[in-house]
Amino acid sequence: MPYETVIGLETHVQLSTHSKAFCGDDASFGGAPNTQVSPVSLGFPGTLPRLNEKQVEYAVKLGLALGSKINLVNSFDRKNYFYADLPKGYQITQDRQPICVGGQLKIHVKGREKSVRIHHIHMEEDAGKSMHDTDGPYSLIDLNRAGVPLLEIVTEPDLRSAEEVDAFMTAMRQLVRYLHISDGNMEQGSLRCDVNVSIRPEGSTEFGERCEIKNLNSMRYARRAIAYEVKRQTQLVESGGQVRQETLNFNPETGITSPLRDKEDAHDYRYFPEPDLPPVVLSTEELRKLQTEMPTLPWQMRERFSGEFGLPEYDVNLLTEEQAPALFYLELSRHTPHYKAAANLLINKVLPYADEQNIPLETFPVGVKQLAEFLQIIADGKVSNSAAYQQLFPALMEQPDAPPLTLAESLNLLQTSDEGALEQIVEQVLTDNPDEVARYQKGKKNLIGFFMGQVMKASRGKADPKVTNALLRRKLEA
Ligand code: ADP
Ligand code: MG
């Protein structure tokens, strides 16, 4: 029997705040183990948490982007469990009143758009990092990450394949980067997800029992874990068994999932209201202020680039994948009407240069006005496209402030479309090659290419090809 895969995601986004969620410890990634800790993040008795306002601001921005309802009053809870990387013995999270409810994220798979519903977004703190395989029989604990602010985004079970999961995570990564709330780096664990997987007979409207695969921090692992889990559940059901709700771990070395712990009963966590933090209360003014700070979002950017600028999908994808190139293009578009040529210039020259030099685009040496003038010179036919790209652009990179037209002149790149000068060159070429002229006139018409080449050579590439061609035919056929 054919089965349908059903997937819901619990995505964790590590926020790029300077300090941790409930104390002033440095929240950045990569410090020497246990150097970014204080009595608060070490969970010493008697210490008190204090809320980082940035975490709230970032949560609201994500909620606004996803069209969620923002709970102007929301509150924290304790989720109790014992583990060595959780010094307090509980995680501060939001259980009863999360900051955002509802919303959706649109994904694109195989040319089809699909809307994935968001159940809610809540704020919480990260645990420390355990390393089990670096020091013989011992486990090592690094508490730098303990208390780093997270947002958890919980979806409805709307996803139907690993490709859709991939598309969701990619869209989420792009969104948090556009919002500047996280670097979205999966390798460093800034973006990771728990994947809830179930199967059901195709056509069925009821959901099957699900398993939750914990903490997948790469799309490749997620894809393999989902494939394995779908196969395992299908075989289990086909052989008359029943899927049991459990929490699984995926082992990338063996490629299989195995039970982590039973999750029959969420009450194990003994959730209760966090007594040391007052509820978060947001005013409508604060909400409005954050609304005005919202940037153009990835999908709005895409729409402008294909609608307003008429760019093909390939260009739209390349220019809007990250925010910086999109903003650079918008700035350039204010100075030039040549939208497609501007896209080509960015894609072929500007972005690769910034990439190679590893510099932020904002520091690209040539300003947008100069770039616009560069494009205008080509559009006016003053310099050929190839001469502009191969000679003028490198020169401009070396003298970013020189007027492009003056540079073209000094490099002797201005196209000769002046028929008088060109006619002289053409005549010279014809006089120098009497045999070819005779053969052309006897019918070997493709010799036109040879003459074009000779004229180009004599004019050192400056002859306007169209005018040259017309002139040659006129003379040869006279
Ligand atoms: P819990 O409270 O036990 O964590 P939730 O109802 O909050 O369970 O769901 C957690 C995640 O599991 C959500 O992302 C949800 O979409 C997903 N989920 C729920 N039921 C299923 C199912 N039958 N198959 C796949 N995913 C599911
Ligand atoms: Mg849950």
Side-chain angles (χ1 to χ4, degrees), residues 355-372:
D355 221 37
E356 276 159 30
Q357 305 289 316
N358 203 8
I359 56 161
L361 267 184
E362 306 85 71
T363 65
F364 188 74
V366 185
V368 287
K369 281 196 185 130
Q370 296 280 89
L371 294 176

Side-chain angles (χ1 to χ4, degrees), residues 154-447:
V154 180
T155 76
E156 298 288 352
D158 283 350
L159 298 150
R160 293 291 175 269
S161 66
E163 291 75 54
E164 292 188 2
V165 171
D166 197 335
F168 182 89
M169 294 302 283
T170 304
M172 188 55 76
R173 176 176 186 278
Q174 184 188 37
L175 179 59
V176 298
R177 289 175 63 81
Y178 261 70
L179 293 170
H180 298 281
I181 64 174
S182 170
D183 62 24
N185 189 323
M186 280 194 103
E187 292 91 70
Q188 294 180 3
S190 309
L191 184 64
R192 46 193 203 259
C193 63
D194 303 340
V195 182
N196 296 272
V197 184
S198 66
I199 57 163
R200 63 179 174 185
E202 237 168 51
S204 158
T205 50
E206 268 160 49
F207 288 128
E209 196 66 75
R210 73 177 193 270
C211 288
E212 179 179 5
I213 315 167
K214 275 282 177 199
N215 256 325
L216 293 163
N217 68 348
S218 105
M219 268 327 300
R220 210 163 53 84
Y221 291 173
R223 233 175 289 126
R224 286 170 59 206
I226 292 166
Y228 176 84
E229 193 49 27
V230 167
K231 199 170 118 205
R232 184 188 72 85
Q233 291 185 16
T234 307
Q235 282 170 353
L236 187 61
V237 172
E238 299 247 280
S239 63
Q242 264 187 338
V243 177
R244 234 164 44 96
Q245 183 176 338
E246 51 188 355
T247 307
L248 305 171
N249 182 39
F250 175 69
N251 182 340
E253 262 148 53
T254 57
I256 67 175
T257 61
S258 54
L260 208 61
R261 57 176 182 253
D262 270 327
K263 200 193 177 185
E264 314 243 299
D265 186 353
H267 300 298
D268 277 348
Y269 290 129
R270 290 164 40 245
Y271 281 106
F272 65 84
E274 166 60 60
D276 292 338
L277 284 166
V280 180
V281 182
L282 288 158
S283 66
T284 45
E285 286 79 62
E286 283 169 303
L287 188 61
R288 220 169 294 136
K289 180 169 167 288
L290 291 174
Q291 239 147 3
T292 64
E293 289 172 13
M294 291 292 280
T296 304
L297 299 169
W299 48 90
Q300 297 166 335
M301 207 63 104
R302 290 184 60 87
E303 215 165 278
R304 267 194 90 179
F305 277 49
S306 63
E308 190 177 331
F309 304 121
L311 296 181
E313 197 182 335
Y314 175 82
D315 296 24
V316 173
N317 287 341
L318 271 176
L319 294 174
T320 63
E321 191 181 317
E322 295 278 348
Q323 187 181 45
L327 293 178
F328 195 101
Y329 181 87
L330 285 182
E331 190 58 31
L332 180 55
S333 75
R334 273 193 268 276
H335 295 93
T336 182
H338 309 296
Y339 296 146
K340 175 58 182 148
N344 293 346
L345 179 61
L346 243 67
I347 291 170
N348 296 318
K349 286 288 181 190
V350 179
L351 300 183
Y353 177 86
D355 221 37
E356 276 159 30
Q357 305 289 316
N358 203 8
I359 56 161
L361 267 184
E362 306 85 71
T363 65
F364 188 74
V366 185
V368 287
K369 281 196 185 130
Q370 296 280 89
L371 294 176
E373 203 183 323
F374 172 84
L375 293 171
Q376 193 56 47
I377 291 174
I378 304 175
D380 290 344
K382 289 182 179 147
V383 175
S384 77
N385 201 65
S386 60
Y389 267 83
Q390 283 159 25
Q391 294 172 260
L392 182 54
F393 193 81
L396 195 55
M397 291 295 291
E398 282 183 8
Q399 299 178 63
D401 298 321
L405 191 59
T406 316
L407 261 186
E409 243 165 1
S410 69
L411 287 168
N412 219 355
L413 295 177
L414 293 188
Q415 291 196 111
T416 315
S417 63
D418 162 33
E419 288 211 17
L422 194 56
E423 206 168 342
Q424 267 190 340
I425 298 177
V426 168
E427 270 171 5
Q428 191 61 48
V429 166
L430 297 185
T431 324
D432 290 349
N433 300 281
D435 293 354
E436 281 76 10
V437 173
R439 278 163 60 210
Y440 180 94
Q441 281 162 348
K442 276 192 206 124
K444 205 150 168 33
K445 299 287 185 217
N446 60 8
L447 273 171

Side-chain angles (χ1 to χ4, degrees), residues 29 34 85 127-131 140-146 188:
F29 176 84
N34 298 308
D85 62 20
K129 205 169 98 189
S130 316
M131 286 151 285
L140 302 180
I141 308 286
D142 175 7
L143 292 173
N144 285 352
R145 205 179 64 185
Q188 294 180 3

